Amino acid sequence: MTRAAGLERLAAFLRDEGAEYAGSRNFDLGPEARPTTSALSPYLRRRLITETEVVTAAVAAFGDEGAEKFVSEVFWRTYFKGHLETHPAAWTGYQALAAEGHEQLAVEPGLRRTYEAAIEGRSGIDCFDAWASELVETGWLHNHARMWFASIWIFTLRLPWALGADFFMRQLVDGDPASNTLSWRWVAGLHTRGKHYVARAENIRRYTDGRFDPVGLDEYPDALDEPMPPREVPLSPADAVPDGAVALLLHLDDLHPESLSLGTAWVVRIGGLVAHAEGASDRVKAADEAAMADGLARAKAHFGCPAGHAHVGWADSLPAVTAWAPVGPSAMALPEGCLRVRRAWDEAAWPSATRGYSRMRKVTPQLIWGAAD
Ligand SMILES: Cc1cc2nc3c(=O)[nH]c(=O)nc-3n(C[C@H](O)[C@H](O)[C@H](O)COP(=O)(O)OP(=O)(O)OC[C@H]3O[C@@H](n4cnc5c(N)ncnc54)[C@H](O)[C@@H]3O)c2cc1C
């Protein structure tokens, strides 16, 4: 998991799948087939490569129109990040529900049997079982498979949605607090209230090229409801970067320090903070560690100063500066007093991410051509 591997993947996507993306992205042809999408999410999630880079590269390769669908998908990521930032209770609420769900499993044998059969790929629904195994074996699922899987989990197996989101967070190599939590909420009908995503057998047959023929799906369920939807809070302002010598803290949400705007600050020490998702699989942890090692090595070469894991007292008496850590494990683990710098991309987009996605779309051109980082 390195920036070089991410750039290679981006180049391969622009050369091979990119031109066909809009027409083929909904097809999940299975783990053995060539991808129909970019498979860039593990790199974007850790910002080994940035949204600005992939969007400008796609527009340069395919033009505004040719790149439109891909750009709008990248924007979904930005939208979810900004939305969770202004609705942090969606994250804390999910965490509380997942913990509650695990407690329920301990005392309700029927629920536990259904849950275990689901995560072990023994539900009896062919596609669902194949995706459960694929997720555990590879750390990955196609977007359409994630939608179908979440829908079947919630509406056919009638399992708590937060336990499904928790299963994804543990296994996905691109596991992301915003995209994952809010996508599960969206499928359930909690994000756009009352509008849920229903997996239909015909749609699955079609977009898996006939690999599956699922039976027993509940195709007419009601959306889930919740008494207290997450409240909107104002976006916290970013901090100003001080002049002079600083210690730079890297974390798993932003591993491209070379493009971070640090004004007149002068980086003399670099520390790395690794905060895995709770219960992350060994594959996810290994990807996190590899990405951090890569980030530290590049930062050391770029700033020409020592870099290593951020042990207690690593910053000495220097002001510590870091890229903004959005809601999630990195933000929770940031040391007190660390100054947080926001990228121009997020600064431009997040204020428009407080409601539905359509409002975000209006800032697209401004972001593509105006964002420096
Ligand atoms: C239930 C569910 C859970 C999900 N959990 C995650 C998660 O934990 N982490 C994660 O990164 N994405 C998640 N997604 C969104 C999406 O499935 C993945 O981003 C996408 O499959 C990644 O594949 P790709 O890189 O080939 O995407 P491409 O189609 O090539 O898109 C390019 C980039 O745009 C972003 N993107 C694309 N689609 C979406 C989307 N629907 N929502 C948000 N961003 C998107 C990703 O950063 C992606 O790398 C989830 C979707 C669902 C339905």
Side-chain angles (χ1 to χ4, degrees), residues 205-230:
R205 277 195 290 272
R206 175 165 174 217
Y207 285 106
T208 57
D209 211 16
R211 287 188 300 129
F212 301 114
D213 185 16
V215 288
L217 305 189
D218 184 346
E219 300 201 2
Y220 300 96
D222 292 329
L224 300 191
D225 200 4
E226 65 188 343
M228 298 253 291

Side-chain angles (χ1 to χ4, degrees), residues 13 21 25 37-42 44-45 70 73-77 80 140-143 146-147 150 168-169 172 174-176 179-180 183-184 186-187:
F13 172 69
Y21 178 82
R25 60 176 285 276
T37 60
S38 71
L40 284 169
S41 54
L44 284 166
R45 188 264 171 265
F70 178 74
E73 294 305 318
V74 175
F75 264 70
W76 269 103
R77 170 184 159 74
F80 281 145
W140 177 261
L141 282 182
H142 183 279
N143 178 59
R146 296 182 199 206
M147 290 160 64
F168 268 28
M169 277 306 280
L172 278 173
D174 65 7
D176 180 88
S179 290
N180 192 57
S183 293
W184 274 84
W186 174 80
V187 170

Side-chain angles (χ1 to χ4, degrees), residues 149-166:
F149 186 97
S151 180
I152 295 170
W153 178 285
I154 296 167
F155 299 119
T156 295
L157 301 177
R158 303 202 170 272
L159 284 163
W161 73 266
L163 281 180
D166 171 73

Side-chain angles (χ1 to χ4, degrees), residues 7-358:
L7 290 174
E8 241 174 71
R9 182 67 213 123
L10 174 60
F13 172 69
L14 297 174
R15 188 187 60 227
D16 302 329
E17 303 92 19
E20 300 300 318
Y21 178 82
S24 60
R25 60 176 285 276
N26 276 330
F27 283 90
D28 174 16
L29 302 177
E32 311 301 335
R34 246 186 48 189
T36 52
T37 60
S38 71
L40 284 169
S41 54
Y43 307 100
L44 284 166
R45 188 264 171 265
R46 297 177 176 86
R47 272 202 173 143
L48 286 164
I49 53 178
T50 65
E51 290 87 340
T52 310
E53 283 179 298
V54 299
V55 162
T56 42
V59 171
F62 308 120
D64 281 350
E65 238 173 75
E68 192 192 353
K69 193 65 201 162
F70 178 74
V71 170
S72 91
E73 294 305 318
V74 175
F75 264 70
W76 269 103
R77 170 184 159 74
T78 303
Y79 164 69
F80 281 145
K81 284 313 237 191
H83 196 85
L84 197 63
E85 219 50 27
T86 49
H87 297 79
W91 171 248
T92 47
Y94 146 70
Q95 287 182 305
L97 279 178
E100 225 172 80
H102 281 291
E103 280 167 23
Q104 247 180 304
L105 292 178
V107 295
E108 291 182 34
L111 181 71
R112 184 167 188 90
R113 272 195 298 277
T114 311
Y115 171 78
E116 283 177 350
I119 64 170
E120 289 166 13
R122 296 184 286 102
S123 73
I125 301 169
D126 60 0
C127 52
F128 185 93
D129 291 343
W131 294 322
S133 305
E134 184 182 340
L135 176 58
V136 172
E137 280 159 24
T138 68
W140 177 261
L141 282 182
H142 183 279
N143 178 59
H144 221 161
R146 296 182 199 206
M147 290 160 64
W148 292 317
F149 186 97
S151 180
I152 295 170
W153 178 285
I154 296 167
F155 299 119
T156 295
L157 301 177
R158 303 202 170 272
L159 284 163
W161 73 266
L163 281 180
D166 171 73
F167 176 49
F168 268 28
M169 277 306 280
R170 288 165 190 255
Q171 299 294 337
L172 278 173
V173 82
D174 65 7
D176 180 88
S179 290
N180 192 57
T181 310
L182 297 177
S183 293
W184 274 84
R185 286 180 57 84
W186 174 80
V187 170
L190 298 170
H191 184 71
T192 312
R193 281 171 76 81
K195 282 197 181 170
H196 50 326
Y197 176 76
V198 180
R200 299 192 196 284
E202 175 47 33
N203 185 260
I204 294 172
R205 277 195 290 272
R206 175 165 174 217
Y207 285 106
T208 57
D209 211 16
R211 287 188 300 129
F212 301 114
D213 185 16
V215 288
L217 305 189
D218 184 346
E219 300 201 2
Y220 300 96
D222 292 329
L224 300 191
D225 200 4
E226 65 188 343
M228 298 253 291
R231 286 187 54 186
E232 184 179 328
V233 301
L235 194 56
S236 306
D239 297 310
V241 188
D243 294 328
V246 297
L248 178 66
L249 184 71
L250 303 191
H251 54 71
L252 292 174
D253 288 81
D254 199 310
L255 288 171
H256 192 236
E258 299 96 314
S259 63
L260 197 61
S261 292
L262 292 172
T264 52
W266 169 39
V267 177
V268 297
R269 188 163 309 169
I270 300 153
L273 172 73
V274 173
H276 304 295
E278 205 180 322
S281 70
D282 288 346
R283 178 189 291 102
V284 171
K285 284 186 186 163
D288 287 345
E289 297 292 350
M292 179 55 76
D294 180 59
L296 286 171
R298 278 183 289 103
K300 183 177 176 187
H302 182 78
F303 295 106
C305 66
H309 276 272
H311 52 78
V312 176
W314 70 280
D316 207 357
S317 53
L318 293 165
V321 175
T322 193
W324 188 271
V327 170
S330 299
M332 296 288 294
L334 280 189
E336 194 116 339
C338 199
L339 301 168
R340 298 164 305 162
V341 183
R342 208 145 51 211
R343 287 178 182 268
W345 180 274
D346 297 333
E347 199 67 20
W350 285 358
S352 306
T354 53
R355 300 273 194 277
Y357 174 71
S358 50

